[in-house]
Amino acid sequence: MDDDLEIKGPGYEPIADEFATYEDYLDSQINSTDVYYLEDVELARQLVELGIRGNGEVIRREEFEQRKEASEQARQARLNKKPKKLASQGKHVEEYPLLQALKDREEAVRNGKLTTIIFIRDKNSKGQEVSGYIDYGHRLKTESMEPYFDRKKRLMPRPSDLSFYNWETQMSTSNPTPNFQVIADNEAGLLFKNKRDRKVINVDPRAKPGDNSTRTELDTTEYLQVVVYDHVTRRRS
C-alpha cells in the first residue's frame, strides 16, 4: 500500500481519486440485498449517507468534495513541478541567426530571469514591408514555438504584438503584454516599460537601451533587419 501511495504522489486521496462523484462513493456502500429490499437506489444512498446502511463510517458530502478539491490541487501541483521541455531543445539552428538567438534565450525567458523584445522588419506574404516589436516571453506562453525552430513557420510581427506597422497601408497598432507596457507619442520615441521592475527600454538605435538592457543587431539574410533587446529583470524590493 505504501508503495502505491508513493507512486500516486503526495496529496493522493484514495476515496476522492477512486470515485468521480459522491453518488459513486455512496453506491460502493450499497449491496445487492439493499437494492432488492429497498427497490430504490436513491433511498439506499440516503440511508448510507445517514449511516444507517453501508460498511463502516461514511464521510459526508462536504468532506468528500473537500477531499476531491484537495486531491486535484495536489495533482496540479505535481504537474507544475515537472520541468517543461524547451521548444528549441534538440533543434539545430546554428545557421539561422534569429532562431539561434531565440534558442540561446529561451530557458532564461521562460524562468523569468530575462525579458526579450525582438524587432523584425521584412516583407510579408503580400510583398508589403512590415515591422514590429515582439515580446518573446508572451509568444512563448501563448503559442507553440516548436514549428518556428523546425522552420515550418516563419517568425513575423503581427498586429497583436507589442508594436506593428505596415509601411504600405500605414496600419499601426500597439498592445501591452503581461511583461511590457507600451509608451508611445513620447519625445524620446517608442518606449517599453518592463512591468516587473518598471525599467524602461529605449529602442531608438541612437540612444542607450536603458538600465540592465542591451541591444543586439543580428547579421542575417533571412530578414531585412532583426534587432534583439534583452532586459535582465530585477524584482522591486
Side-chain angles (χ1 to χ4, degrees):
M1 183 68 176
D2 291 341
D3 291 340
D4 183 55
L5 286 174
E6 187 175 349
I7 293 172
K8 296 289 185 178
Y12 169 65
E13 173 51 60
I15 292 177
D17 283 19
E18 183 178 351
F19 303 107
T21 66
Y22 186 63
E23 285 68 26
D24 289 343
Y25 165 68
L26 293 177
D27 289 347
S28 72
Q29 303 287 314
I30 301 171
N31 57 43
S32 57
T33 304
D34 294 330
V35 177
Y36 176 79
Y37 283 108
L38 295 172
E39 298 182 345
D40 187 334
V41 174
E42 285 299 321
L43 177 58
R45 287 174 177 170
Q46 291 175 19
L47 293 177
V48 170
E49 190 169 359
L50 291 171
I52 297 173
R53 294 280 182 178
N55 304 316
E57 186 177 351
V58 179
I59 63 173
R60 309 293 294 177
R61 184 180 296 271
E62 294 79 7
E63 184 180 349
F64 178 87
E65 296 298 339
Q66 289 172 358
R67 292 190 187 187
K68 196 79 177 171
E69 184 178 355
S71 178
E72 177 60 20
Q73 289 176 352
R75 188 183 72 85
Q76 289 295 335
R78 292 195 298 273
L79 290 175
N80 291 336
K81 285 183 179 179
K82 292 182 179 179
K84 294 182 179 179
K85 179 186 175 183
L86 298 178
S88 60
Q89 186 174 327
K91 310 299 182 184
H92 300 289
V93 293
E94 296 82 1
E95 296 180 5
Y96 306 93
L98 175 57
L99 294 180
Q100 185 62 52
L102 299 182
K103 179 177 181 178
D104 292 342
R105 292 161 172 79
E106 183 184 358
E107 185 172 8
V109 171
R110 283 190 184 276
N111 64 31
K113 294 179 180 179
L114 183 73
T115 51
T116 295
I117 296 173
I118 309 153
F119 172 78
I120 292 177
R121 180 170 64 88
D122 203 28
K123 299 287 184 68
N124 64 14
S125 58
K126 297 179 180 179
Q128 301 167 335
E129 184 173 323
V130 298
S131 62
Y133 293 87
I134 301 169
D135 177 353
Y136 183 32
H138 188 51
R139 283 284 192 104
L140 282 170
K141 287 187 176 181
T142 56
E143 70 172 309
S144 171
M145 294 297 291
E146 197 161 352
Y148 295 104
F149 288 109
D150 286 332
R151 293 186 293 115
K152 293 178 180 178
K153 292 175 68 175
R154 189 165 181 263
L155 187 65
M156 286 289 288
R158 301 170 179 165
S160 57
D161 282 316
L162 276 171
S163 178
F164 174 87
Y165 186 67
N166 185 311
W167 293 85
E168 183 172 317
T169 64
Q170 297 187 357
M171 173 188 175
S172 176
T173 63
S174 63
N175 306 280
T177 68
N179 299 313
F180 293 101
Q181 175 186 346
V182 182
I183 305 175
D185 300 324
N186 185 284
E187 291 181 2
L190 189 63
L191 305 171
F192 299 106
K193 180 185 285 188
N194 186 284
K195 290 184 177 180
R196 178 175 293 183
D197 62 9
R198 317 300 293 175
K199 298 292 185 180
V200 172
I201 298 176
N202 190 335
V203 295
D204 185 340
R206 298 164 298 181
K208 292 183 178 180
D211 294 341
N212 307 322
S213 298
T214 58
R215 179 184 187 276
T216 307
E217 184 150 5
L218 301 184
D219 183 11
T220 177
T221 58
E222 295 178 87
Y223 299 88
L224 294 176
Q225 186 180 16
V226 178
V227 183
V228 178
Y229 297 88
D230 292 315
H231 179 73
V232 179
T233 53
R234 299 280 191 274
R235 289 188 179 276
R236 299 172 70 189
S237 56

